[in-house]
Amino acid sequence: MIIILKPDLGPDSAEASAIVALATRFPNITAKVYAHQGASHALTEVHLVGETKAIPTEIFAEQPYVVRVVRVSEKYRLLGRHEAQVEALGFEYRGVRFGQDTLHVFPGLCAVDDRENVDATMRAIAASGLTTCRMGAYKPRTSPYDFQGHGKACLPYVFELAAKHGIRVIAMEILREQHLDEIREALRAAGDATGVMLQIGTRNAQNFELLKTVGQQSEFPVLYKRGMGNSLEEALNACEYIASEGNRQIVFCLRGVKSQIASPHRNFIDFSHVPVVKRLTRLPVCVDPSHSAGRRAESPDGITEIHHATAEGVILGANMVLVDFHPTPARAMCDGPQALTLEELPGYLEDVALVRETYVKRVARARA
Ligand code: PEP
Ligand code: MN
């Protein structure tokens, strides 16, 4: 059961406490207060978990400071689209707005290799008019003998160069809580000149302790990547872990699922789930065409499979694209075969804009 308070009442208000006190009258009920800063307004909700079927909604609904009381199914109670929660869960971070209606491209290095390549990549991104990028510092590799990423050693120049090129948000994967602390510390040292979206990679998609960790802070938004072997339901439940700890600034990312039938792609492209995630939840949805297709092979039509996969996501309404670029893919220390070159970036963005325009027209036609 979700009790929604009037917009001007905060999570520490006497009214929120009064609702929690009312709830304690009933046995086997846990009450938790949630505050959420949405794109349009701040919201305080009291969630009751447990034997709520026995509780009449009227006892809460009749309070003058309660807007609405909703019974929700146990599934995706925070992220799902329930009767009174039809508004999409957008958020703004570092001046960049994320929602089910926006689109941002995050091109960049799968793995940071050296300062020169970060500089060249960010320069190209800024020249294309973007303020968002991806930069992998901590790399989860299949073999312990492969390059593991420069970790915290590269953070000072990554953040310094982001400031130089006007990059506002960097998507960066973390593998453990310590990495979050290292990022926070390096950002402070760099004068807080940029922002980081914490990426939870496919390998940690059900690492519930790590999910709780990123959920317990709200300084950084989270890019949650679906587990490569997880059903959509498992992935959305995992996302709910982040939200249930208090952080609802989440973007859900599709990155392909592991299957023999995906071959010759690295993963079976699951972008047809973009509208499904938008229907089941209120989260903005990202697609990662690089880790899905896994190769930049060119079709006979002259379009690479990365471009084609991107178009697939964007035409279905994706809100974010995470995509690998590298100054010299052949020399990349991680995932070179799937990286596009910096020279290809302007054309790539034109292609995205073309598809997005068509999507927007399709939406307008459907609504007319
Ligand atoms: C990545 O984006 O760098 C990455 C490792 O992706 P995934 O977790 O989807 O494999
Ligand atoms: Mn990669």
Side-chain angles (χ1 to χ4, degrees):
M1 186 180 285
I2 297 178
I3 299 138
I4 305 164
L5 304 190
K6 282 196 173 152
D8 51 333
L9 300 170
D12 301 321
S13 61
E15 288 84 355
S17 307
I19 291 294
V20 173
L22 264 181
T24 57
R25 286 196 204 163
F26 299 92
N28 306 320
I29 294 291
T30 313
K32 207 165 171 183
V33 182
Y34 288 97
H36 174 67
Q37 182 58 53
S40 53
H41 55 260
L43 208 74
T44 296
E45 298 171 354
V46 182
H47 289 225
L48 307 187
V49 183
E51 292 170 23
T52 55
K53 281 197 180 75
I55 306 180
T57 55
E58 295 74 28
I59 183 165
F60 299 108
E62 67 196 12
Q63 305 303 324
Y65 45 86
V66 169
V67 173
R68 203 151 179 194
V69 182
V70 211
R71 286 192 190 277
V72 294
S73 63
E74 293 303 309
K75 243 189 218 174
Y76 329 138
R77 53 169 46 237
L78 289 167
L79 303 177
R81 281 184 181 275
H82 307 294
E83 185 200 342
Q85 294 179 307
V86 287
E87 198 186 321
L89 268 175
F91 61 91
E92 193 174 306
Y93 178 61
R94 296 269 169 175
V96 183
R97 200 174 75 79
F98 296 86
Q100 286 195 334
D101 56 344
T102 59
L103 175 63
H104 299 289
V105 182
F106 281 59
L109 302 175
C110 172
V112 169
D113 39 20
D114 60 42
R115 187 187 169 98
E116 287 63 43
N117 284 338
V118 173
D119 195 23
T121 305
M122 286 184 175
R123 177 176 293 112
I125 290 167
S128 299
L130 300 183
T131 57
T132 48
C133 76
R134 60 158 294 147
M135 287 287 149
Y138 307 95
K139 299 307 301 176
R141 303 304 300 278
T142 303
S143 163
Y145 308 115
D146 287 339
F147 174 59
Q148 305 286 307
H150 289 309
K152 74 171 180 181
C154 70
L155 299 182
Y157 66 78
V158 168
F159 296 153
E160 175 207 319
L161 291 167
K164 174 180 156 192
H165 293 294
I167 302 291
R168 295 185 192 190
V169 187
I170 303 172
M172 184 178 278
E173 180 167 1
I174 62 163
L175 307 174
R176 56 194 295 194
E177 186 168 3
Q178 183 190 330
H179 298 159
L180 171 56
D181 298 331
E182 290 172 3
I183 287 172
R184 198 181 273 125
E185 213 167 285
L187 274 177
R188 296 286 175 274
D192 214 25
T194 189
V196 170
M197 181 179 272
L198 301 172
Q199 202 174 307
I200 298 297
T202 199
R203 293 160 184 85
N204 277 312
Q206 283 189 311
N207 180 342
F208 301 121
E209 294 307 312
L210 187 62
L211 294 172
K212 284 189 212 165
T213 296
V214 296
Q216 280 156 9
Q217 58 82 43
S218 47
E219 183 179 357
F220 305 105
V222 180
L223 178 64
Y224 172 86
K225 295 184 98 174
R226 176 188 194 166
M228 61 177 100
N230 287 158
S231 66
L232 206 48
E233 185 170 334
E234 287 166 336
L236 295 176
N237 274 313
C239 247
E240 190 77 14
Y241 265 93
I242 304 170
S244 70
E245 293 296 324
N247 189 356
R248 276 193 255 184
Q249 302 189 42
I250 305 168
V251 178
F252 184 91
C253 183
L254 295 163
R255 46 81 69 207
V257 291
K258 206 172 181 70
S259 165
Q260 292 288 344
I261 58 168
S263 176
H265 283 161
R266 185 174 177 182
N267 288 288
F268 195 73
I269 301 176
D270 55 350
F271 298 171
S272 55
H273 279 168
V274 169
V276 181
V277 178
K278 288 169 89 169
R279 171 170 61 80
L280 294 177
T281 77
R282 300 174 290 143
L283 297 174
V285 183
C286 175
V287 292
D288 177 343
S290 309
H291 290 82
S292 301
R295 54 211 290 270
R296 52 151 303 139
E298 207 169 288
S299 304
D301 56 17
I303 299 173
T304 78
E305 288 176 13
I306 301 291
H307 285 71
H308 273 307
T310 305
E312 198 181 334
V314 174
I315 200 68
L316 293 172
N319 307 111
M320 176 170 159
V321 179
L322 189 72
V323 56
D324 292 3
F325 275 80
H326 194 281
T328 40
R331 275 191 268 147
M333 291 166 92
C334 183
D335 288 348
Q338 68 192 28
L340 299 175
T341 66
L342 300 183
E343 290 71 35
E344 287 176 299
L345 181 57
Y348 179 84
L349 295 175
E350 265 174 49
D351 200 31
V352 168
L354 198 65
V355 182
R356 173 71 179 178
E357 196 185 313
T358 307
Y359 167 72
V360 171
K361 282 184 188 160
R362 290 174 67 219
V363 172
R365 201 171 68 98
R367 285 185 176 153

PDB file of all heavy atoms in Angstrom, residues 2 16 34 75-76 97 145 194 260 273 348 356:
ATOM      1  N   ILE A   2       0.539   2.205  -0.866  1.00  0.00           N
ATOM      2  CA  ILE A   2       1.327   3.432  -0.942  1.00  0.00           C
ATOM      3  C   ILE A   2       0.439   4.614  -0.567  1.00  0.00           C
ATOM      4  O   ILE A   2      -0.651   4.783  -1.120  1.00  0.00           O
ATOM      5  CB  ILE A   2       1.917   3.640  -2.358  1.00  0.00           C
ATOM      6  CG1 ILE A   2       2.879   2.487  -2.695  1.00  0.00           C
ATOM      7  CG2 ILE A   2       2.659   4.977  -2.453  1.00  0.00           C
ATOM      8  CD1 ILE A   2       3.473   2.569  -4.082  1.00  0.00           C
ATOM      9  N   ALA A  16       4.265  12.940   7.797  1.00  0.00           N
ATOM     10  CA  ALA A  16       4.829  11.638   7.403  1.00  0.00           C
ATOM     11  C   ALA A  16       4.953  10.747   8.635  1.00  0.00           C
ATOM     12  O   ALA A  16       4.616   9.550   8.600  1.00  0.00           O
ATOM     13  CB  ALA A  16       6.188  11.826   6.729  1.00  0.00           C
ATOM     14  N   TYR A  34       9.497   7.342   1.704  1.00  0.00           N
ATOM     15  CA  TYR A  34      10.323   7.588   0.515  1.00  0.00           C
ATOM     16  C   TYR A  34      10.153   9.018   0.038  1.00  0.00           C
ATOM     17  O   TYR A  34       9.029   9.516  -0.055  1.00  0.00           O
ATOM     18  CB  TYR A  34       9.912   6.657  -0.639  1.00  0.00           C
ATOM     19  CG  TYR A  34      10.318   5.230  -0.440  1.00  0.00           C
ATOM     20  CD1 TYR A  34       9.409   4.303   0.073  1.00  0.00           C
ATOM     21  CD2 TYR A  34      11.602   4.807  -0.755  1.00  0.00           C
ATOM     22  CE1 TYR A  34       9.775   2.976   0.259  1.00  0.00           C
ATOM     23  CE2 TYR A  34      11.981   3.489  -0.575  1.00  0.00           C
ATOM     24  CZ  TYR A  34      11.064   2.584  -0.077  1.00  0.00           C
ATOM     25  OH  TYR A  34      11.426   1.279   0.111  1.00  0.00           O
ATOM     26  N   LYS A  75       4.969  -6.485  -6.932  1.00  0.00           N
ATOM     27  CA  LYS A  75       5.954  -6.355  -7.999  1.00  0.00           C
ATOM     28  C   LYS A  75       6.279  -4.913  -8.351  1.00  0.00           C
ATOM     29  O   LYS A  75       5.366  -4.121  -8.536  1.00  0.00           O
ATOM     30  CB  LYS A  75       5.379  -7.019  -9.241  1.00  0.00           C
ATOM     31  CG  LYS A  75       6.180  -8.203  -9.719  1.00  0.00           C
ATOM     32  CD  LYS A  75       5.632  -8.625 -11.054  1.00  0.00           C
ATOM     33  CE  LYS A  75       5.646 -10.118 -11.172  1.00  0.00           C
ATOM     34  NZ  LYS A  75       4.990 -10.559 -12.380  1.00  0.00           N
ATOM     35  N   TYR A  76       7.526  -4.601  -8.491  1.00  0.00           N
ATOM     36  CA  TYR A  76       7.979  -3.272  -8.920  1.00  0.00           C
ATOM     37  C   TYR A  76       7.173  -2.157  -8.258  1.00  0.00           C
ATOM     38  O   TYR A  76       6.695  -1.255  -8.936  1.00  0.00           O
ATOM     39  CB  TYR A  76       7.904  -3.096 -10.435  1.00  0.00           C
ATOM     40  CG  TYR A  76       8.106  -4.324 -11.275  1.00  0.00           C
ATOM     41  CD1 TYR A  76       7.312  -4.557 -12.385  1.00  0.00           C
ATOM     42  CD2 TYR A  76       9.106  -5.248 -10.972  1.00  0.00           C
ATOM     43  CE1 TYR A  76       7.499  -5.668 -13.178  1.00  0.00           C
ATOM     44  CE2 TYR A  76       9.287  -6.373 -11.749  1.00  0.00           C
ATOM     45  CZ  TYR A  76       8.479  -6.587 -12.849  1.00  0.00           C
ATOM     46  OH  TYR A  76       8.643  -7.675 -13.622  1.00  0.00           O
ATOM     47  N   ARG A  97      18.488  16.298 -18.410  1.00  0.00           N
ATOM     48  CA  ARG A  97      17.253  15.678 -17.968  1.00  0.00           C
ATOM     49  C   ARG A  97      17.082  14.291 -18.599  1.00  0.00           C
ATOM     50  O   ARG A  97      17.302  14.107 -19.791  1.00  0.00           O
ATOM     51  CB  ARG A  97      16.048  16.546 -18.345  1.00  0.00           C
ATOM     52  CG  ARG A  97      14.807  16.220 -17.516  1.00  0.00           C
ATOM     53  CD  ARG A  97      13.669  17.173 -17.802  1.00  0.00           C
ATOM     54  NE  ARG A  97      13.033  16.903 -19.072  1.00  0.00           N
ATOM     55  CZ  ARG A  97      12.144  15.922 -19.269  1.00  0.00           C
ATOM     56  NH1 ARG A  97      11.804  15.126 -18.276  1.00  0.00           N
ATOM     57  NH2 ARG A  97      11.613  15.738 -20.459  1.00  0.00           N
ATOM     58  N   TYR A 145      43.777 -12.423 -16.815  1.00  0.00           N
ATOM     59  CA  TYR A 145      45.032 -11.993 -17.460  1.00  0.00           C
ATOM     60  C   TYR A 145      44.812 -10.867 -18.452  1.00  0.00           C
ATOM     61  O   TYR A 145      45.754 -10.337 -19.019  1.00  0.00           O
ATOM     62  CB  TYR A 145      45.712 -13.200 -18.124  1.00  0.00           C
ATOM     63  CG  TYR A 145      45.858 -14.346 -17.148  1.00  0.00           C
ATOM     64  CD1 TYR A 145      45.188 -15.550 -17.338  1.00  0.00           C
ATOM     65  CD2 TYR A 145      46.606 -14.179 -15.979  1.00  0.00           C
ATOM     66  CE1 TYR A 145      45.275 -16.572 -16.409  1.00  0.00           C
ATOM     67  CE2 TYR A 145      46.690 -15.192 -15.035  1.00  0.00           C
ATOM     68  CZ  TYR A 145      46.020 -16.388 -15.261  1.00  0.00           C
ATOM     69  OH  TYR A 145      46.104 -17.385 -14.330  1.00  0.00           O
ATOM     70  N   THR A 194      32.553  17.662 -12.998  1.00  0.00           N
ATOM     71  CA  THR A 194      31.712  16.866 -13.886  1.00  0.00           C
ATOM     72  C   THR A 194      30.841  15.940 -13.048  1.00  0.00           C
ATOM     73  O   THR A 194      30.930  15.939 -11.816  1.00  0.00           O
ATOM     74  CB  THR A 194      32.586  16.072 -14.896  1.00  0.00           C
ATOM     75  OG1 THR A 194      31.745  15.469 -15.880  1.00  0.00           O
ATOM     76  CG2 THR A 194      33.408  14.988 -14.206  1.00  0.00           C
ATOM     77  N   GLN A 260      23.333 -18.923 -27.765  1.00  0.00           N
ATOM     78  CA  GLN A 260      24.005 -19.498 -28.931  1.00  0.00           C
ATOM     79  C   GLN A 260      23.417 -18.933 -30.216  1.00  0.00           C
ATOM     80  O   GLN A 260      24.124 -18.705 -31.186  1.00  0.00           O
ATOM     81  CB  GLN A 260      23.825 -21.026 -28.936  1.00  0.00           C
ATOM     82  CG  GLN A 260      24.552 -21.742 -27.804  1.00  0.00           C
ATOM     83  CD  GLN A 260      26.066 -21.756 -27.998  1.00  0.00           C
ATOM     84  OE1 GLN A 260      26.546 -21.502 -29.087  1.00  0.00           O
ATOM     85  NE2 GLN A 260      26.809 -22.044 -26.936  1.00  0.00           N
ATOM     86  N   HIS A 273      12.489  -5.004 -26.292  1.00  0.00           N
ATOM     87  CA  HIS A 273      11.971  -4.820 -24.935  1.00  0.00           C
ATOM     88  C   HIS A 273      11.945  -3.352 -24.493  1.00  0.00           C
ATOM     89  O   HIS A 273      11.481  -3.051 -23.398  1.00  0.00           O
ATOM     90  CB  HIS A 273      12.791  -5.661 -23.935  1.00  0.00           C
ATOM     91  CG  HIS A 273      12.373  -7.094 -23.912  1.00  0.00           C
ATOM     92  ND1 HIS A 273      13.104  -8.085 -23.296  1.00  0.00           N
ATOM     93  CD2 HIS A 273      11.272  -7.709 -24.417  1.00  0.00           C
ATOM     94  CE1 HIS A 273      12.470  -9.248 -23.432  1.00  0.00           C
ATOM     95  NE2 HIS A 273      11.374  -9.048 -24.116  1.00  0.00           N
ATOM     96  N   TYR A 348      27.322   9.158 -37.231  1.00  0.00           N
ATOM     97  CA  TYR A 348      26.549   8.300 -36.327  1.00  0.00           C
ATOM     98  C   TYR A 348      25.420   9.102 -35.681  1.00  0.00           C
ATOM     99  O   TYR A 348      24.263   8.663 -35.627  1.00  0.00           O
ATOM    100  CB  TYR A 348      27.480   7.718 -35.253  1.00  0.00           C
ATOM    101  CG  TYR A 348      26.798   6.833 -34.240  1.00  0.00           C
ATOM    102  CD1 TYR A 348      26.559   5.485 -34.506  1.00  0.00           C
ATOM    103  CD2 TYR A 348      26.394   7.343 -33.001  1.00  0.00           C
ATOM    104  CE1 TYR A 348      25.931   4.668 -33.576  1.00  0.00           C
ATOM    105  CE2 TYR A 348      25.774   6.540 -32.054  1.00  0.00           C
ATOM    106  CZ  TYR A 348      25.545   5.202 -32.349  1.00  0.00           C
ATOM    107  OH  TYR A 348      24.922   4.402 -31.425  1.00  0.00           O
ATOM    108  N   ARG A 356      15.422   9.103 -34.697  1.00  0.00           N
ATOM    109  CA  ARG A 356      14.658   9.715 -33.603  1.00  0.00           C
ATOM    110  C   ARG A 356      13.492  10.551 -34.156  1.00  0.00           C
ATOM    111  O   ARG A 356      12.380  10.509 -33.636  1.00  0.00           O
ATOM    112  CB  ARG A 356      15.597  10.582 -32.751  1.00  0.00           C
ATOM    113  CG  ARG A 356      14.906  11.400 -31.672  1.00  0.00           C
ATOM    114  CD  ARG A 356      14.379  10.548 -30.531  1.00  0.00           C
ATOM    115  NE  ARG A 356      13.737  11.375 -29.514  1.00  0.00           N
ATOM    116  CZ  ARG A 356      13.146  10.902 -28.425  1.00  0.00           C
ATOM    117  NH1 ARG A 356      13.111   9.601 -28.205  1.00  0.00           N
ATOM    118  NH2 ARG A 356      12.603  11.702 -27.545  1.00  0.00           N
TER     119      ARG A 356
END
